[in-house]
Amino acid sequence: MVFCFECFMCFIWSLYGQLCESQFYIIALASIAALLMLCNVHTSFMMCTPGNGCALDVSTTTSSAVGAGYDYSVERGPHTWHVAESNQSPINIESREVQRINFDMPLNWVGYDKLPLGVRLENNGHTLLLRAAYDGASPFIDGADLLSCFSFHEISFRWSWHDGEGSEHTLDNQHYPLEMQCLHTDAADRCHASSRGLLVVSYLFTLSVENPFLNVIIRYLVAVQQAGQCAEIPPFPLNYLMPTFYSDFYSYQGSLTEPPCHRGAEWFISPIPLAISERQLHEFRKLRSRSGSRIERNARPVQDLCDRIVNLNRYRRV
């Protein structure tokens, strides 16, 4: 169904006039406020949907652009993707071979404790996406050695049917059962015409006890089990899923991990793995691909590091 803003406003004013004539002023004002709030959330999500305007249209560089032209099978898996060969992600991080970097300014996380207007989950047939709509500026990261301010765009997840796999990045050749990748875009580049100016903050998960913060999305995965399904869920601050960190995190220059795998993305890898239970992980494994089968694996294999350097960043308190 196509949303018509002009028709919606005509309906509001008509309703307002009828209620005012009947002298139910309080009911009129409450009704208008509720309808305008719904309109605001809907409009915000329209802006967050790729292809609906320049403000958040990064469809040529992010996981939002995935189509039916590839998957992770033998026929159309990563070994068949025609992408650049250098500076690709993910990578293996050898903790003994990283370059230690000290900086005087910590990472600055702004707005991640703010309650969004709405949160939407989407199963695009390859992965689970999470987007949030805000009244005003989206949460952003700056500070440390970042040369710009990076605004939150979306979250995607990587997993496998096997507990010993799942994550795209590895630490000392160890895979983790789940990886959460939080895409950010350069706030100064409003149209995001290329992959330059992308920051991906990655969190690895290890099997452990139940993670109550994950349940804010786990309980709603049943609504997006089929490819193409979307669901708007009760909003929550992003720091429920994204614990802030300020020091001892890894970083390197790489690419996005889905075709066309654009280069120019900076990666931050959180230093401390998060917890996920077997039950919670199983809920991700129920999500289905476009073929109707369960998504058994959606991780690109580790790529060659070549001459790139992985940094271990530490905030030096003065």
Side-chain angles (χ1 to χ4, degrees), residues 189-206:
D189 182 11
R190 295 295 297 170
C191 288
H192 311 303
S194 72
S195 62
R196 290 176 295 178
L198 297 178
L199 171 67
V200 188
V201 182
S202 175
Y203 296 83
L204 301 172
F205 288 77
T206 185

Side-chain angles (χ1 to χ4, degrees), residues 13-14 46 70 77 127 133-134 161 204 239 256 260 314:
W13 287 118
S14 174
M46 288 289 289
Y70 81 94
T127 186
Y134 287 86
W161 64 273
L204 301 172
N239 63 4
L256 298 179
R314 288 180 172 170

Side-chain angles (χ1 to χ4, degrees), residues 4 18 101 135 150 153 157 197 200 207 230 235 244 278 290 304 310:
C4 177
Q18 294 176 24
I101 300 293
D135 181 13
F150 291 86
H153 178 64
F157 297 84
V200 188
L207 277 177
C230 298
T244 56
E278 188 70 47
R290 297 180 186 277
D304 291 334
V310 179

